[in-house]
Amino acid sequence: MVADSEYEYDLLVIGAGSGGVRAARTAAATGAKVAIVEDRYLGGTCVNVGCVPKKLYAYAAHFHDSFDDAAGFGWSLSEPATFDWATLRDNKTSEIKRLNGIYQRMLEGADVTLFNARAQLVDGHTAALKDENGVTHITANKILLATGGWPWVPDFPGKEHALDSNQVFDLETFPKRFLVLGGGYIAVEFASIFNGLGSETHLIYRGDLFLKQFDHEVREFTRNEMDKKGVNLHFNANIERIEATGSSYNVHLTTGEVLEVDAVLAATGRKANVQGLGIEELGISLDGDGKIPVNERYETLVPSILALGDLTAGPELTPVALAEAMQLVDYHFKDIKPMPLDYATVATAVFCHPNIGTVGLSEEAARQKLTKIRVYSTEFRAMKHTLSGSQERTLMKLIVDDETDRVVGAHMVGDEAGEIIQCIAIAVRAGLTKQDFDLTIGIHPTGAEEFVTLRTVTRH
């Protein structure tokens, strides 16, 4: 596709995160003239302050348990294991710089023009780019908003002392006492990470139980396992105020309890990163959930302005943004109408300790949606821990539509849950039945084989 002579570019992408970069590259591959604008870092949240550094830190935290587990298998450390925060932090930073470079080379290789600037919409086809040299204007037939989300911290006295999830990766010193506020997956993951790295860790959540969008049995099981590992869980509590006391903080809770800690993380959610974009002036408003409404073609109320990823209503997951980017290019640059994305069977994982993996309906959602269900669940102590001495347990669960025998949900809490559920997700997406699972021969001895040997109905 040759650029419309009326505009400088066929597509201007604002935001060089996963979705934005994928859209830019795939659109350019069709022959479109594409530019991308980024004012912070290439790769977006996932590469810089999300999936990648979080998973690296989760790996680091698992070694604590691994050292303990090794003793039962005959291994001993000549000296007590010690942890150096600076080594982990700086090695993480080096890896992210490497990934930033890969993203830049991918854009260059795709012949996408990169502007290191801050973009603001002027009209449906024009953006003002501001950098150290001033402001320039560029035009495009279509403009894609792919600026992702940004951490949100609630308002309370002393909120300026709280870190957000963008800042927590690069602390100058390791906090021996760490407090996390929140009940979503980011809060649960960081509570597990810092606990595993050796912090005295507290998780504060205003509700009865964290991870409210997940299966209730999974939530309860995870709570119990995290408690066994030493995370101090404070439910039905919130932060009233934070007071700085020298190098530490006194955190006053609504329960009357006061906790002295070295760092506070407010992992209280993320909101669409649209501040300063100028969407309101063009008549594009956020919906009740703080998202940009789009149609199936990812068009906003201004048809030439598109949006995807965390800015819109789908799951806030990197693979979702990548899939949406491919669909967007099909619609606008290949003139193909792709199959709609099946958001109901998007698998996800929480990298707490132990991990959570889940796909499809929770038991509660299945009971609301379906006439009759069968639930198969089991919990057990993994074979590894018969020698390690660890009391960690594993939960596996299948939800079956009784009328069709289709497996409509699969859930796991345990070692490598994300890896296992990724494969189970294929079966759920394909609509396989419980009989298909039953007829599949398991790999023995593995934990994953439990998913094809579940025979007893736990409840209807």
Side-chain angles (χ1 to χ4, degrees):
M1 180 185 293
V2 178
D4 189 318
S5 59
E6 185 179 351
Y7 305 108
E8 297 168 79
Y9 294 95
D10 294 305
L11 176 67
L12 170 63
V13 181
I14 301 177
S18 299
V21 169
R22 176 63 63 86
R25 292 175 57 221
T26 52
T30 69
K33 187 176 182 182
V34 181
I36 192 166
V37 186
E38 176 57 56
D39 70 338
R40 190 168 289 106
Y41 31 51
L42 297 179
T45 295
C46 181
V47 167
N48 295 276
V49 290
C51 330
V52 172
K54 174 193 68 181
K55 189 68 181 290
L56 293 175
Y57 282 19
Y59 282 137
H62 272 293
F63 281 104
H64 182 276
D65 286 342
S66 297
F67 292 141
D68 289 340
D69 293 346
F73 292 88
W75 290 92
S76 62
L77 300 176
S78 58
E79 297 178 2
T82 59
F83 169 67
D84 183 64
W85 168 256
T87 299
L88 172 62
R89 180 196 62 207
D90 296 347
N91 285 347
K92 174 271 304 178
T93 299
S94 296
E95 171 60 11
I96 288 175
K97 287 181 179 178
R98 185 184 73 85
L99 295 175
N100 294 151
I102 289 174
Y103 270 76
Q104 180 157 349
R105 290 191 292 276
M106 285 194 301
L107 291 169
E108 291 170 350
D111 201 25
V112 174
T113 302
L114 171 63
F115 293 96
N116 296 116
R118 176 75 177 176
Q120 183 175 7
L121 297 173
V122 176
D123 58 40
H125 296 283
T126 309
L129 308 187
K130 182 178 181 180
D131 59 19
E132 66 274 9
N133 298 315
V135 178
T136 58
H137 290 75
I138 61 173
T139 61
N141 186 31
K142 297 181 186 294
I143 298 175
L144 170 60
L145 307 180
T147 50
W150 198 255
W152 172 79
V153 179
D155 193 23
F156 52 77
K159 67 175 289 186
E160 67 274 11
H161 301 305
L163 304 162
D164 64 37
S165 57
N166 285 358
Q167 301 167 316
V168 71
F169 295 102
D170 295 301
L171 300 177
E172 186 65 28
T173 59
F174 182 72
K176 294 182 179 179
R177 299 164 299 178
F178 187 70
L179 184 147
V180 184
L181 173 66
Y185 70 93
I186 296 175
V188 171
E189 287 173 333
F190 276 109
S192 281
I193 286 169
F194 278 87
N195 178 68
L197 295 177
S199 289
E200 175 193 296
T201 303
H202 298 267
L203 176 64
I204 314 299
Y205 180 52
R206 63 184 180 178
D208 295 331
L209 189 60
F210 48 40
L211 299 172
K212 64 180 180 180
Q213 301 301 322
F214 286 70
D215 181 274
H216 191 76
E217 187 175 9
V218 166
R219 298 164 67 198
E220 291 185 324
F221 190 88
T222 303
R223 174 200 61 199
N224 296 342
E225 290 301 305
M226 288 181 65
D227 180 69
K228 285 195 304 190
K229 289 182 179 296
V231 179
N232 298 286
L233 302 172
H234 305 259
F235 294 119
N236 297 305
N238 211 334
I239 292 181
E240 187 176 84
R241 68 182 186 276
I242 302 175
E243 296 174 346
T245 58
S247 60
S248 63
Y249 303 95
N250 284 334
V251 182
H252 295 255
L253 304 184
T254 52
T255 58
E257 190 173 5
V258 180
L259 300 173
E260 185 178 5
V261 298
D262 302 305
V264 178
L265 168 63
T268 43
R270 299 174 69 87
K271 293 189 176 182
N273 184 21
V274 296
Q275 187 173 4
L277 268 180
I279 62 171
E280 298 86 354
E281 290 79 1
L282 300 185
I284 301 172
S285 300
L286 302 181
D287 63 20
D289 295 322
K291 302 289 188 176
I292 296 178
V294 294
N295 62 17
E296 67 171 5
R297 292 170 53 85
Y298 303 97
E299 295 169 339
T300 67
L301 290 175
V302 180
S304 60
I305 298 178
L306 318 174
L308 55 65
D310 292 358
L311 293 180
T312 60
E316 296 180 2
L317 299 168
T318 294
V320 170
L322 295 173
E324 290 176 344
M326 300 294 285
Q327 286 212 323
L328 183 147
V329 171
D330 283 348
Y331 275 121
H332 294 277
F333 295 93
K334 296 182 179 180
D335 197 26
I336 297 173
K337 184 177 181 180
M339 290 183 60
L341 291 180
D342 183 6
Y343 292 107
T345 56
V346 174
T348 190
V350 183
F351 296 108
C352 52
H353 301 171
N355 293 175
I356 300 170
T358 183
V359 62
L361 298 176
S362 66
E363 180 178 343
E364 294 71 40
R367 292 192 185 283
Q368 291 181 354
K369 184 175 182 179
L370 303 173
T371 303
K372 186 178 180 182
I373 66 171
R374 303 193 306 274
V375 179
Y376 299 80
S377 66
T378 183
E379 66 168 88
F380 55 91
R381 190 176 177 213
M383 179 181 179
K384 171 184 175 181
H385 296 314
T386 60
L387 295 189
S388 77
S390 170
Q391 296 305 306
E392 179 179 301
R393 297 184 68 78
T394 295
L395 169 70
M396 292 183 176
K397 182 173 183 177
L398 292 176
I399 315 296
V400 179
D401 180 356
D402 198 51
E403 291 186 353
T404 64
D405 197 44
R406 284 184 57 180
V407 176
V408 295
H411 311 274
M412 177 179 173
V413 185
D415 193 31
E416 301 293 357
E419 303 288 346
I420 293 171
I421 288 295
Q422 175 64 86
C423 299
I424 299 292
I426 300 171
V428 175
R429 172 69 182 83
L432 298 189
T433 65
K434 182 62 169 63
Q435 184 180 45
D436 291 320
F437 276 65
D438 294 344
L439 293 175
T440 301
I441 306 300
I443 302 171
H444 185 74
T446 65
E449 69 177 315
E450 292 290 333
F451 273 118
V452 298
T453 60
L454 288 169
R455 295 291 187 274
T456 303
V457 177
T458 308
R459 52 193 168 274
H460 289 278

